[in-house]
């Protein structure tokens, strides 16, 4: 399959300029400002989607006044030193691969409590143990992104737990490259887009207010993207290419009954559905940024962590692919990164004080330095982002 794909590659690619960092590390939102408490916006309501204009009219931005049981920064009465409480970070799909490596990297610092939001509780518990994570640094909570009821239940339990939410990482994903027929989420959406995009869309929307309430110095919503959704790269030009078309399949509910299972309305293709879902992830991050960064101070970011060719993502691929993919990425494309290294990269996007710029798609160069990458035309199309947002709101029951 890999060789077939190579033969189909077009000859003109413009890969992103690695190593050139266009990143501006200045960001006024590091010490968060947020909307006045008396105007508590309902972030789940479609009518109040872009509240920036609302703020401009009312001038309602002022310093955060939300009372929390344990303020993020407190001054010790003994020596007057400022101390920062542990950050609370929710990571979806933390039972393996990138999510687990990130959970481990953050837990090891002792500065983070990681909420591992996983569909398989036992698997997550075993994974945390074998990664050597200490009990006091993590909590496992059940979340099945392929069920919107489960997403809502997770959000309810999280809110009831009374924990602050400082960072949310939308990491979980499924990839079905060999599926001949589509499979579906509990609500009947094609599984890859249903899980990777729609499940995360509902989760982030329902938790946005909790992030806003956080008094942590830098609060963030991170949605993991990928190079394979970006057709301005070599990897993104390996067929089947991501293409959301006019969104007719998404508008029809991706159910394979009265609509196509594919966003663009085409025939089912599991590999394309995954890549399309990654484009949705990257567009959603940008729409969040446009609508909510200014008024909430939340940093919205996406990233391509490198090719982590050994993870469970390829579990449904043919055995020959699983055998050849890691050496191919290591020695031919040189895009390979270990799970550990990728986990450190995502942990950086979670906690590094220099990565607070919002609306950015982060990548890393060969020296493992982060840089702001360029998204493909489709993955940065504002009009498409807005339409996907509106259609997704309808599908998940927010509009
Ligand atoms: P893994 O398969 O190792 O991890 C995926 C995680 O998602 C698993 O923990 C899995 O749970 C979880 N998951 C799947 N379905 C659901 C669901 N319905 N509800 C809750 N959790 C679910 O793959 P990776 O670590 O590689 O992937 C992590 C992220 O990295 C994805 O967003 C992927 O797109 C992205 N990425 C990966 C790259 C790579 O080269 N591997 C490259 C670029 C981006 P379980 O353990 O129960 O199966
Ligand atoms: Mg790809 C610099 C070149 C590069 C990089 C960084 C990746 C990453 N890949 C590259 C090139 C190529 N790949 C080339 C030239 C080929 C044809 C031989 C090729 C093939 C290929 C296949 C068949 N690559 C793949 C597949 C998959 O099934 C993976 C996929 O698309 O999953 C959706 C994949 C990937 N290549 C990558 C990365 C990161 C993946 C995993 C995709 C992801 O997680 O988004």
């Amino acid at each position: 399959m890999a060789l077939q794909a190579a033969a189909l590659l077009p000859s003109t690619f413009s890969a992103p300029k690695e190593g050139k960092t266009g990143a501006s590390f200045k960001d006024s939102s590091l010490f968060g400002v947020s909307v006045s408490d008396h105007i508590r916006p309902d972030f789940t309501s479609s009518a109040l989607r872009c509240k920036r204009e609302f703020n401009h009219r009312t001038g309602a931005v002022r310093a955060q006044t939300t009372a929390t049981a344990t303020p993020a920064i407190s001054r010790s009465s003994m020596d007057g030193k400022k101390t920062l409480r542990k950050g609370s970070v929710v990571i979806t799909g933390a039972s393996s691969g990138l999510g687990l490596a990130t959970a481990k990297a953050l837990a090891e610092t002792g500065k983070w409590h990681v909420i591992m939001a996983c569909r398989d509780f036992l698997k997550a518990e075993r994974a945390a143990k074998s990664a050597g994570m200490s009990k006091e640094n993590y909590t496992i909570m059940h979340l099945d992104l392929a069920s919107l009821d489960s997403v809502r239940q997770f959000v309810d339990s999280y809110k009831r737990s009374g924990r602050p939410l400082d960072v949310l990482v939308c990491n979980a994903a499924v990839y079905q490259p060999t599926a001949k027929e589509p499979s579906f989420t509990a609500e009947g959406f094609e599984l890859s887009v249903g899980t990777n995009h729609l499940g995360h869309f509902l989760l982030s929307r329902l938790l946005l207010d909790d992030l806003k309430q956080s008094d942590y110095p830098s609060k963030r919503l991170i949605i993991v993207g990928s190079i394979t959704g970006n057709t301005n790269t070599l990897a993104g030009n390996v067929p089947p290419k991501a293409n959301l078309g006019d969104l007719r399949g998404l508008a029809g509910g991706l159910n394979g009954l009265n609509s196509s299972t594919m966003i663009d309305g085409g025939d089912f293709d599991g590999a394309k559905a995954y890549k399309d879902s990654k484009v949705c992830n990257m567009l959603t991050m940008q729409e969040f940024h446009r609508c909510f960064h200014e008024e909430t101070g939340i940093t919205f970011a996406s990233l391509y962590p490198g090719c982590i060719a050994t993870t469970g993502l390829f579990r449904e691929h043919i055995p020959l692919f699983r055998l050849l993919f890691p050496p191919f990425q290591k020695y031919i494309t040189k895009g390979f990164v270990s799970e550990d290294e990728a986990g450190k990269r995502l942990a950086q996007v979670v906690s590094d004080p220099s990565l607070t710029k919002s609306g950015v798609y982060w990548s890393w160069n060969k020296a493992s330095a982060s840089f702001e990458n360029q998204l493909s035309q489709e993955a940065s199309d504002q009009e498409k982002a807005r339409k996907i947002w509106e259609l997704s709101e309808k599908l998940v029951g927010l509009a």
Side-chain angles (χ1 to χ4, degrees):
M1 179 180 176
L3 293 176
Q4 263 175 2
L8 292 165
L9 292 174
S11 54
T12 51
F13 297 113
S14 68
K17 292 176 218 92
E18 295 216 329
K20 291 245 166 70
T21 159
S24 153
F25 293 140
K26 280 182 262 155
D27 191 273
S28 58
S29 68
L30 181 58
F31 294 96
V33 283
S34 77
V35 181
S36 166
D37 270 353
H38 62 270
I39 305 163
R40 185 153 286 156
D42 173 6
F43 290 119
T44 62
S45 150
S46 165
L48 299 179
R49 193 169 65 87
C50 273
K51 304 228 2 120
R52 200 170 27 211
E53 286 166 27
F54 173 75
N55 273 340
H56 283 164
R57 279 204 310 275
T58 60
V61 179
R62 67 169 166 80
Q64 175 118 4
T65 55
T66 314
T68 50
T70 320
I73 301 169
S74 57
R75 198 178 277 276
S76 145
S77 55
M78 297 290 286
D79 53 11
K81 266 195 189 155
K82 284 181 186 170
T83 53
L84 186 62
R85 69 163 161 78
K86 261 189 176 184
S88 290
V89 54
V90 169
I91 305 178
T92 68
S95 52
S96 70
L98 177 62
L100 178 62
T102 308
K104 179 177 188 269
L106 290 168
E108 270 172 9
T109 64
K111 295 177 181 164
W112 291 90
H113 189 82
V114 184
I115 295 88
M116 301 169 72
C118 298
R119 62 177 165 178
D120 183 336
F121 194 92
L122 273 179
K123 182 178 174 184
E125 186 60 58
R126 284 197 199 104
K129 278 215 177 90
S130 65
M133 292 167 62
S134 336
K135 277 238 170 266
E136 72 273 14
N137 292 333
Y138 72 91
T139 300
I140 299 170
M141 286 180 69
H142 185 261
L143 169 66
D144 181 356
L145 288 155
S147 155
L148 298 182
D149 278 349
S150 172
V151 173
R152 289 184 183 280
Q153 273 168 26
F154 172 86
V155 171
D156 281 353
S157 311
Y158 197 86
K159 287 178 192 281
R160 271 188 280 108
S161 76
R163 256 184 216 289
L165 178 63
D166 305 315
V167 180
L168 170 61
V169 182
C170 296
N171 161 77
V174 283
Y175 175 42
Q176 301 190 295
T178 56
K180 298 270 179 290
E181 298 294 331
S183 36
F184 297 92
T185 66
E187 286 77 19
F189 307 125
E190 185 283 317
L191 191 70
S192 323
V193 175
T195 306
N196 309 355
H197 166 60
L198 291 171
H200 278 135
F201 179 77
L202 181 62
L203 180 73
S204 328
R205 288 289 300 275
L206 296 179
L207 287 175
L208 192 66
D209 199 40
D210 299 74
L211 275 176
K212 191 211 121 199
Q213 303 293 329
S214 157
D215 63 348
Y216 206 69
S218 174
K219 45 214 184 174
R220 307 182 188 185
L221 197 171
I222 299 156
I223 309 179
V224 178
S226 182
I227 195 170
T228 53
N230 278 294
T231 49
N232 58 342
T233 64
L234 175 57
N237 276 281
V238 174
K241 292 202 243 178
N243 177 9
L244 308 184
D246 63 4
L247 308 177
R248 68 180 65 182
L250 187 66
L254 300 174
N255 56 28
L257 296 171
N258 49 358
S259 89
S260 162
T261 53
M262 301 295 291
I263 294 180
D264 66 357
D267 292 340
F268 174 71
D269 182 325
K272 181 174 183 298
Y274 168 88
K275 294 176 191 179
D276 289 350
S277 76
K278 290 285 116 186
V279 178
C280 290
N281 286 155
M282 295 179 282
L283 287 172
T284 301
M285 175 282 286
Q286 293 164 82
E287 191 65 7
F288 264 119
H289 166 72
R290 277 190 288 272
C291 291
F292 297 113
H293 171 64
E294 214 174 288
E295 72 169 81
T296 62
I298 298 168
T299 294
F300 299 97
S302 186
L303 69 149
Y304 166 58
C307 186
I308 332 160
T310 52
T311 71
L313 194 69
F314 311 103
R315 67 189 94 180
E316 291 187 36
H317 227 309
I318 54 168
L320 186 63
F321 176 89
R322 295 209 305 272
L323 181 74
L324 296 180
F325 193 52
F328 171 68
Q329 292 294 344
K330 247 181 221 165
Y331 305 114
I332 314 277
T333 73
K334 308 217 191 298
F336 179 89
V337 287
S338 66
E339 296 180 30
D340 261 12
E341 175 59 24
K344 283 183 194 139
R345 290 177 177 184
L346 179 47
Q348 230 182 312
V349 183
V350 169
S351 66
D352 192 321
S354 68
L355 301 191
T356 52
K357 188 169 176 193
S358 185
V360 173
Y361 167 63
W362 296 105
S363 295
W364 284 260
N365 65 19
K366 297 219 158 38
S368 237
S370 57
F371 68 99
E372 251 182 76
N373 208 343
Q374 295 294 311
L375 290 155
S376 69
Q377 201 178 3
E378 182 169 56
S380 48
D381 181 333
Q382 292 195 20
E383 189 50 26
K384 235 173 217 185
R386 191 184 60 76
K387 281 190 188 142
I388 287 167
W389 183 282
E390 286 171 6
L391 292 172
S392 303
E393 277 187 327
K394 288 194 184 118
L395 295 177
V396 303
L398 290 176

